[in-house]
């Protein structure tokens, strides 16, 4: 029987646009082997790829303003969600459940205000999470899973979801 071990990479700094994420991972000193699977939070991938929007740069439209008045959210944040959503599946109270152009059904189309690294900003999902995973795989030589935590509206808890994969055969 094989062995499974999980290791958090030490010393990853705050990631910013343009950072060499593979270089930051190599700088931890952890040796990644071809049979390893590296799981990377989408947020660091998105930040390195410049998928961060400052709220000050977002002009909310009529729909975003109306939805924000019902949800209590910042209208600029709602506009960012609408910009990223292919479809708003449901808007109830403070919950915006959306299908992204990637096909994910999640809260706020994956647009997140936490851990942005800068004030008054939102982090978006990577443009192409599979391409992001492939680039990291090419640079690091191991399988890569780009992850996101999906909350489920009206349920307690979070589930970690693979939104991008390279070097593994994902389940759909």
């Amino acid at each position: 029987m094989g062995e499974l071990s999980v290791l958090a990479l030490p010393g990853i700094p705050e990631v910013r646009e343009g950072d060499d994420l593979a270089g930051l991972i190599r700088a931890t000193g952890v040796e990644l082997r071809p049979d390893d699977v590296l799981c990377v939070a989408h947020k660091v991938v998105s930040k390195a790829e410049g998928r961060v929007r400052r709220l000050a740069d977002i002009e909310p439209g009529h729909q975003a303003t109306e939805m924000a008045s019902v949800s209590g959210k910042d209208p600029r944040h709602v506009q960012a969600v609408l910009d990223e959503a292919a479809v708003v599946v449901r808007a109830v109270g403070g919950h915006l459940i959306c299908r992204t152009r990637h096909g994910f059904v999640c809260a706020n189309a994956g647009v997140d205000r936490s851990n942005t690294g800068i004030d008054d900003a939102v982090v978006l999902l990577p443009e192409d999470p599979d391409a992001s995973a492939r680039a990291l795989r090419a640079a690091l030589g191991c399988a890569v899973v780009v992850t996101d935590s999906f909350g489920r509206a009206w349920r307690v808890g979070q589930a970690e979801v693979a939104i991008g994969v390279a070097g593994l055969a994902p389940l759909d």
Side-chain angles (χ1 to χ4, degrees):
M1 177 173 255
E3 179 180 318
L4 173 70
S5 59
V6 178
L7 172 69
L9 298 179
I12 300 288
E14 180 68 39
V15 175
R16 305 228 181 265
E17 182 175 356
D19 282 352
D20 174 11
L21 189 52
L24 294 174
I25 292 167
R26 279 193 296 272
T28 67
V30 173
E31 183 181 332
L32 295 168
R33 300 177 312 247
D35 60 343
D36 287 336
V37 178
L38 175 69
C39 296
V40 183
H42 93 82
K43 196 162 290 185
V44 296
V45 173
S46 293
K47 288 163 72 172
E49 293 178 355
R51 296 283 292 153
V52 177
R53 288 183 72 186
R54 293 183 182 275
L55 292 177
D57 296 337
I58 299 173
E59 184 66 39
H62 179 71
Q63 182 182 15
T65 303
E66 280 188 1
M67 293 175 95
S69 70
V70 172
S71 68
K73 293 182 183 293
D74 183 322
R76 302 167 301 171
H77 183 190
V78 174
Q79 185 62 55
V81 170
L82 294 176
D83 291 346
E84 291 297 304
V87 175
V88 176
V89 176
R90 186 161 202 166
V92 178
H95 301 286
L96 294 174
I97 309 304
C98 304
R99 181 172 44 83
T100 69
R101 68 188 174 314
H102 314 89
F104 308 130
V105 176
C106 55
N108 297 322
V111 175
D112 191 349
R113 286 188 76 166
S114 67
N115 302 314
T116 62
I118 56 177
D119 292 333
D120 291 323
V122 293
V123 178
L124 315 175
L125 294 177
E127 284 283 343
D128 184 343
D130 286 327
S132 302
R134 285 191 302 272
L136 284 171
R137 176 174 167 71
L140 298 170
C142 64
V144 175
V145 177
V146 178
T147 68
D148 191 11
S149 53
F150 280 15
R152 288 298 176 227
W154 307 288
R155 294 189 180 123
V156 177
Q158 299 278 344
E160 202 66 18
V161 176
I163 64 168
V165 178
L168 295 173
L171 297 174
D172 190 20

